[in-house]
């Protein structure tokens, strides 16, 4: 006899480890806004310089320990122009994050960033004519509607349009990095993001009015760069290779939920009603899309089970 039914494959041990690592990255990243609010540095470029410098050094040390000096050099040589492009996308995103939160709320920045997978699907359709399902189009429409609600605050003067524009730029460049990585799957994200950190630090150094900070601020910037950004990225690039992309993106939504929560609890920065409504549209659309994708990739046909002939 043959059993034609389909079943959901349980996560093997490697995928469970990968899921734990990806969730850990989202957990560490979620503290970014709360840490930033503790910094009393007027020049945002100074924060970008130190944060990205410490993150780049952490990622470089991570590769040296994991791959050795020769392996690290080989990784940088092998990333090519796709790796440079991904690194520059990360440069723009990490710089925009710091500047955006000085103009708008953490919730706006984090919730707008939740639409990365759907922006990536839209870019793939525009650039490469990849097929987009009706379900995905519906989710994209909901995200655009949610973004419109949130950005409408800048029209009333509640928040700066500069802040919302930079907050919207972050998921756009992350989506572009996602599309490039999909088209060139051999690109290793660790050297690309390390390059992006050092590039952002160099640009910030040229724009900053002064890089001197106090000892306490330097310690906080070290945590902000090495552990919040660098460790989060190291956990993500290690874990994301072990789990389906839909599951990785789904686990990444923990940052979207926890980020505004930490800021509200620690600093009392409560999101506005428009941010909550618009963010809810974005988050629900993203969760629906990711659950659909995860279910589609996990449901696999079982091999035929035949009854032995007596």
């Amino acid at each position: 006899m043959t059993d034609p039914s389909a079943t959901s494959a349980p996560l093997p041990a490697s995928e469970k480890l990968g899921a734990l690592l990806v969730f850990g990255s989202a957990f560490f990243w979620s503290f970014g806004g709360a840490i930033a609010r503790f910094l009393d540095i007027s020049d945002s470029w100074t924060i970008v310089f130190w944060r990205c410098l410490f993150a780049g050094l952490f990622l470089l040390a991570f590769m040296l320990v994991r791959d050795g000096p020769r392996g690290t050099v080989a990784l940088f040589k092998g990333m090519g122009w796709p790796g440079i492009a991904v690194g520059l996308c990360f440069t723009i995103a990490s710089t925009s994050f710091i500047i955006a939160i000085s103009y708008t709320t953490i919730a706006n920045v984090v919730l707008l960033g939740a639409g990365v997978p759907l922006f990536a699907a839209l870019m793939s359709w525009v650039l490469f004519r990849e097929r987009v399902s009706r379900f995905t189009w519906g989710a994209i429409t909901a995200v655009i509607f949610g973004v419109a609600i949130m950005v409408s605050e800048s029209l009333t003067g509640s928040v700066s349009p500069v802040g919302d524009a930079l907050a919207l730029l972050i998921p756009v460049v992350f989506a572009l990095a996602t599309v490039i990585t999909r088209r060139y799957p051999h690109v290793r994200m660790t050297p690309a993001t390390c390059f992006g950190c050092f590039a952002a630090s160099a640009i910030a150094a040229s724009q900053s009015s002064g890089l001197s900070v106090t000892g306490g601020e330097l310690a906080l910037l070290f945590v902000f760069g090495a552990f919040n950004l660098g460790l989060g990225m190291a956990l993500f690039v290690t874990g994301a290779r072990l789990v389906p992309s839909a599951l990785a993106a789904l686990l990444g939504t923990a940052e979207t939920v926890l980020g505004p929560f930490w800021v509200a609890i620690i600093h009392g920065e409560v999101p506005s009603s428009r941010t909550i409504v618009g963010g809810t549209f974005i988050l629900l659309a993203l969760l629906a899309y990711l659950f659909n994708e995860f279910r589609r990739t996990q449901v696999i046909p079982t091999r035929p089970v035949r009854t032995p002939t007596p």
Side-chain angles (χ1 to χ4, degrees):
M1 296 178 62
T2 301
D3 181 10
S5 63
T7 184
S8 294
L11 289 177
S14 61
E15 288 196 13
K16 290 180 180 178
L17 174 62
L20 182 63
L21 291 173
V22 172
F23 178 80
S25 71
F27 179 78
F28 280 103
W29 281 337
S30 70
F31 286 98
I35 296 173
R37 286 292 187 254
F38 281 114
L39 291 168
D40 189 19
I41 300 174
S42 58
D43 191 346
S44 297
W45 289 110
T46 302
I47 300 175
V48 173
F49 169 78
W50 286 110
R51 186 194 190 209
C52 290
L53 177 64
F54 285 133
L57 291 173
F58 182 94
L59 290 169
L60 181 60
F62 172 75
M63 286 186 288
L64 288 172
V65 172
R66 185 190 63 183
D67 305 297
R70 290 185 180 181
T72 300
V73 172
L75 286 175
F76 277 103
K77 287 183 177 180
M79 69 180 187
W81 77 261
I84 293 175
V86 169
L88 291 177
C89 287
F90 184 75
T91 299
I92 296 171
S94 57
T95 303
S96 298
F97 174 79
I98 297 299
I99 300 176
I101 60 178
S102 65
Y103 286 96
T104 189
T105 64
I106 300 295
N108 274 30
V109 176
V110 174
L111 290 170
L112 284 172
V116 170
L118 294 171
F119 284 131
L122 184 59
M123 282 186 182
S124 296
W125 176 76
V126 172
L127 297 176
F128 305 109
R129 287 303 180 190
E130 291 186 4
R131 182 179 175 274
V132 178
S133 67
R134 292 181 180 179
F135 188 92
T136 303
W137 276 121
I140 289 173
T141 302
V143 167
I144 293 174
F145 185 66
V147 168
I149 294 174
M150 294 177 66
V151 173
S152 66
E153 280 190 310
S154 63
L155 302 178
T156 64
S158 301
V159 295
S160 168
V162 174
D164 276 350
L166 290 172
L168 189 57
L169 179 62
I170 295 171
V172 170
V173 294
F174 260 119
L176 180 59
T178 301
V179 171
I180 295 173
T181 303
R182 287 177 183 171
R183 300 295 292 188
Y184 300 91
H186 65 280
V187 175
R188 295 293 292 272
M189 285 295 292
T190 313
T193 52
C194 182
F195 161 73
C197 284
F198 285 131
S201 184
I203 293 172
S206 68
Q207 299 297 314
S208 175
S209 59
L211 300 177
S212 61
V213 294
T214 67
E217 290 169 340
L218 189 64
L220 193 57
L221 286 165
F222 175 78
V223 173
F224 198 19
F227 296 113
N228 171 249
L229 183 58
L231 178 58
M233 185 58 68
L235 291 173
F236 181 80
V237 297
T238 303
R241 299 173 65 86
L242 303 175
V243 297
S245 57
L247 177 57
L250 181 62
L251 292 168
T253 58
E255 180 191 4
T256 306
V257 176
L258 293 175
F261 175 77
W262 299 135
V263 176
I265 293 297
I266 298 173
H267 299 284
E269 186 178 296
V270 180
S272 67
S273 58
R274 293 193 188 187
T275 295
I276 293 174
V277 172
T280 300
F281 269 98
I282 294 174
L283 191 58
L284 289 179
L286 179 63
L287 289 174
Y289 166 77
L290 293 176
F291 272 122
N292 183 68
E293 285 293 297
F294 183 57
R295 184 183 60 181
R296 183 178 62 82
T297 57
Q298 287 295 299
V299 176
I300 59 173
T302 58
R303 292 185 176 182
V305 179
R306 300 184 182 278
T307 304
T309 304

